[in-house]
Amino acid sequence: MGISKEEVLHVAHLARLEFSEEEVELFTTQLADILDYVAQLNELDTSKIEPTYHAVPMSNVFRKDEVKPSSPVEDVLANAPERENGFFVVPKVIK
Amino acid sequence: MSCFWDSLLSLRERLAKKELSSQELVKHFFERIKEVEPKVRAYITLTEEGALAQAKEADKALAAGENKPLLGIPLAIKDNICIRGVRTTCASRMLENFVPTYNATVIERLRDAGAIFLGKTNLDEFAMGSSTENSAFFPTHNPWDLERVPGGSSGGSAAAVAAGLCAGALGSDTGGSIRQPASFCGVVGLKPTYGRVSRYGLVAFASSLDQIGPLTRTVADTALLLQVIAGPDNRDSTCVDQEVPDYLAALDMDLKGCKVGVPKEYFGQGLSQEVAQAIEASLEVMRDLGLEVKEVSLPHSPYAIAAYYIIAPAEASSNLARYDGVKYGFRAEGKDLLDMYKKTRSQGFGPEVKRRIMIGTYALSAGYYDAYYKKASQVRTLITKDFAEAFKEVDFVLGPVAPSPAFKIGERTADPLEMYLSDIYTISVNLAGIVGLSLPCAFSEKGLPIGLQIMGPHFSEERVLALGHQFERALGLFKQHPGL
């Protein structure tokens, strides 16, 4: 099961990553190798097997619905690359 | 006064007897760090000032006769576990200047127990790797042979314990990241049952696999640290609400007549002769301890790496979506929001992290979800069932931790797939969520440590630690230290 350069570029866009021409070449080869390797899973018939998404069986975990203080605004913004008046600042979104 | 090779339990006793103070202890460790750390490079950040302040407090408490399980004892913490006010980088440019405003639950519990933090240890970026070479800052060196890797991703913690640069440490294990470096550095490392230890404040890699655990010089020390950090936490709903047994008290339990299973699939192609012989010899020790050794089968274990390298990257690609240059971490300039996202992530993440985000995004993308993520999760069920079947017949499963002793720095960086294959014996444990303990069982011809892995069912830590402890006492390897 291969992967094309176009697919690599599409996935990169989905993941919000960009690569140089060289990196795209390298990733196309490396991802193809990895996908080739994982294709061995198809040797197994899993049509009647339930998937496991959680290692330890658990149903819903509830807690009491109590009002508790959240992190202070100052803490939440402490690591922001850019902030202003208690908000995160992002590049202009509306054209 | 030597204290670098003391166990946590022995240090605790010496502190209680006033043979030495916590401040003296911390100062001694920093002297040792100044001398040895330039060769090993286990730490990303040292917190000398904070550690001395904590030690001063501890000495007061000791003088007042307070009795806390880790009072005055200096530890190292993997740099993907948040300590309030201390830079937590995940060995990534993305978080190079990130200073958490809260403590991980394990940190709160260690502090409440009186522990002191010497610093934050190196790792593969975001815990993705098996050699600590994927750190964005520098590689860590194996204390037994400085030209070799310490393993990974908790390579900094394992090397710090092995080199006498801390008394014990915490790491995290998603596919072997505590056990494999423990094996490479000749120390003890435990991956507890999924849900035994809270993940609150651990920077997420693959949430259904990640688990925090101890790295120490002896099994008893691992029991002591686990005792402190384990137990339910209402800030992590996957942390199981189950009582924490007295692990230390259980170490000498009678295990005679218990059954040890050896999976035939673990002794095939790819396992080095030296490691195979070390495991064989360990089985003899088990027999001498009064256990019965028998062959078991884990028929789906050859598929574990393939399943893992879909599931872990899929979860990682989702978890790492949070690094968008807005809320915290690195931000690059861009001409608009999308461009800012792309430049931030492309410049902030290293190659292995990007590779895994790419695999994960591909595996979860429209049209491929069933073929990859669902398929891998179904195979995960088969792997889990293999263990469940084995544990009907035996109390423990034993095997190697890694196919070979520590390899040389640079030897495996060219081919990512080859690096993934070194996780073959550890990954199934994470997929099944069971217990895995790594402890030294031999030295190679070149003098490199070789680890043995003891696996047990969910919440079998008591017994697994007891077997590890009895095996360790029979062998006495913990008395050996690298010549640094």
Side-chain angles (χ1 to χ4, degrees):
Chain A
M1 222 181 303
I3 183 166
S4 67
K5 235 166 93 174
E6 288 66 38
E7 278 180 296
V8 168
L9 290 170
H10 172 64
V11 173
H13 171 70
L14 293 176
R16 300 296 183 258
L17 290 169
E18 58 185 19
F19 297 110
S20 69
E21 192 56 36
E22 269 174 33
E23 285 175 315
V24 172
E25 293 286 341
L26 182 69
F27 266 69
T28 307
T29 320
Q30 288 179 339
L31 293 185
D33 282 353
I34 294 165
L35 293 174
D36 252 2
Y37 179 80
V38 302
Q40 60 175 286
L41 295 179
N42 296 322
E43 293 166 12
L44 298 171
D45 177 10
T46 53
S47 52
K48 293 193 180 97
I49 307 293
E50 281 297 312
T52 296
Y53 298 118
H54 194 81
V56 176
M58 268 181 140
S59 50
N60 288 337
V61 178
F62 296 111
R63 60 164 170 77
K64 283 198 183 120
D65 189 17
E66 288 167 342
V67 179
K68 283 182 190 164
S70 310
S71 293
V73 173
E74 186 46 46
D75 280 9
V76 173
L77 291 170
N79 283 285
E82 207 185 332
R83 53 187 284 193
E84 207 179 295
N85 302 327
F87 293 98
F88 296 108
V89 176
V90 296
K92 193 173 159 187
V93 179
I94 301 160
K95 292 209 169 95
Chain B
M1 181 209 70
S2 168
C3 52
F4 313 124
W5 310 119
D6 273 42
S7 66
L8 297 179
L9 284 167
S10 143
L11 286 178
R12 190 164 84 167
E13 213 179 293
R14 292 175 70 177
L15 286 167
K17 280 192 200 150
K18 313 275 186 290
E19 253 181 61
L20 77 172
S21 71
S22 177
Q23 289 175 84
E24 283 169 334
L25 189 58
V26 168
K27 279 180 194 156
H28 279 296
F29 270 108
F30 277 103
E31 276 164 29
R32 169 99 182 147
I33 287 169
K34 271 172 200 103
E35 189 192 323
V36 176
E37 171 66 3
K39 294 180 219 163
V40 177
R41 309 213 68 188
Y43 287 95
I44 291 176
T45 304
L46 288 165
T47 52
E48 188 166 359
E49 220 176 286
L52 284 167
Q54 289 168 348
K56 204 171 172 182
E57 275 175 47
D59 282 334
K60 271 189 210 155
L62 282 160
E66 267 189 59
N67 186 18
K68 290 178 180 174
L70 296 168
L71 189 54
I73 292 185
L75 303 176
I77 305 294
K78 187 177 183 180
D79 205 19
N80 61 350
I81 299 172
C82 291
I83 302 181
R84 186 172 55 229
V86 177
R87 196 168 72 118
T88 295
T89 69
C90 285
S92 179
R93 296 280 170 219
M94 188 62 93
L95 291 176
E96 196 167 358
N97 299 308
F98 174 68
V99 180
T101 53
Y102 62 95
N103 279 325
T105 297
V106 292
I107 294 301
E108 273 182 6
R109 292 189 178 161
L110 289 174
R111 279 300 291 143
D112 288 347
I116 287 163
F117 305 126
L118 299 178
K120 306 293 295 289
T121 55
N122 201 12
L123 62 150
D124 289 293
E125 185 176 358
F126 283 102
M128 297 178 189
S130 313
S131 70
T132 315
E133 291 167 290
N134 292 336
S135 166
F137 307 131
F138 47 81
T140 295
H141 300 258
N142 190 311
W144 294 91
D145 177 349
L146 296 171
E147 283 179 18
R148 291 177 189 269
V149 302
S153 67
S154 311
S157 286
V161 174
L165 302 174
C166 64
L170 288 190
S172 66
D173 192 316
T174 305
S177 279
I178 289 174
R179 291 160 287 152
Q180 184 256 23
S183 169
F184 280 13
C185 291
V187 300
V188 177
L190 176 75
K191 201 284 299 174
T193 306
Y194 183 83
R196 181 72 287 187
V197 178
S198 167
R199 292 181 293 112
Y200 178 79
L202 168 69
V203 179
F205 160 15
S207 304
S208 83
L209 304 164
D210 296 342
Q211 194 63 194
I212 295 172
L215 289 119
T216 61
R217 277 183 214 112
T218 66
V219 177
D221 283 357
T222 281
L224 173 61
L225 286 187
L226 182 66
Q227 192 79 52
V228 171
I229 63 173
D233 176 17
N234 56 21
R235 289 173 299 189
D236 174 5
S237 59
T238 63
C239 192
V240 179
D241 188 5
Q242 190 167 319
E243 207 180 317
V244 181
D246 188 339
Y247 297 115
L248 277 171
L251 290 177
D252 291 311
M253 72 163 78
D254 186 6
L255 293 169
K256 285 191 182 64
C258 282
K259 292 192 181 93
V260 159
V262 185
K264 57 181 179 195
E265 291 82 5
Y266 282 23
F267 291 84
Q269 211 187 346
L271 181 65
S272 81
Q273 191 72 30
E274 274 188 310
V275 175
Q277 280 166 2
I279 305 302
E280 286 296 334
S282 303
L283 296 178
E284 270 315 304
V285 178
M286 294 296 170
R287 288 190 191 97
D288 292 345
L289 288 170
L291 286 96
E292 188 188 322
V293 177
K294 62 182 278 187
E295 190 179 270
V296 290
S297 177
L298 301 171
H300 298 96
S301 53
Y303 298 96
I305 293 183
Y308 177 87
Y309 278 97
I310 296 294
I311 293 168
E315 294 184 11
S317 74
S318 169
N319 272 327
L320 272 61
R322 71 190 65 177
Y323 301 102
D324 58 1
V326 174
K327 303 177 294 293
Y328 38 74
F330 173 76
R331 174 193 283 194
E333 293 302 314
K335 60 181 191 298
D336 52 29
L337 187 64
L338 183 65
D339 192 44
M340 185 276 280
Y341 286 155
K342 287 189 175 179
K343 291 207 157 54
T344 293
R345 292 167 60 78
S346 299
Q347 293 169 30
F349 292 135
E352 182 59 29
V353 174
K354 288 187 218 174
R355 198 154 32 238
R356 297 209 195 181
I357 291 175
M358 290 289 287
I359 299 167
T361 306
Y362 179 79
L364 292 175
S365 64
Y368 292 113
Y369 181 91
D370 280 3
Y372 289 105
Y373 190 66
K374 189 178 171 198
K375 180 82 189 180
S377 300
Q378 287 168 318
V379 174
R380 182 176 184 180
T381 304
L382 295 173
I383 289 164
T384 307
K385 282 186 174 161
D386 282 357
F387 277 110
E389 284 303 313
F391 287 130
K392 282 181 192 163
E393 289 176 47
V394 296
D395 304 286
F396 307 97
V397 168
L398 247 68
V401 181
S404 69
F407 45 90
K408 289 207 163 146
I409 293 173
E411 196 180 304
R412 294 194 188 167
T413 42
D415 182 358
L417 192 55
E418 200 194 328
M419 190 72 95
Y420 297 171
L421 297 179
S422 63
D423 300 336
I424 184 159
Y425 304 116
T426 47
I427 271 175
S428 311
V429 166
N430 300 78
L431 291 172
I434 60 172
V435 182
L437 175 72
S438 168
L439 75 167
C441 70
F443 284 90
S444 74
E445 210 171 288
K446 293 197 178 94
L448 300 168
I450 296 173
L452 168 74
Q453 187 173 201
I454 304 176
M455 292 159 268
H458 292 150
F459 299 102
S460 65
E461 282 84 357
E462 251 179 310
R463 259 196 210 192
V464 168
L465 290 167
L467 181 58
H469 173 74
Q470 293 173 29
F471 175 85
E472 171 192 86
R473 296 295 128 169
L475 240 62
L477 291 180
F478 61 92
K479 292 171 192 145
Q480 294 189 41
H481 309 296
L484 274 170

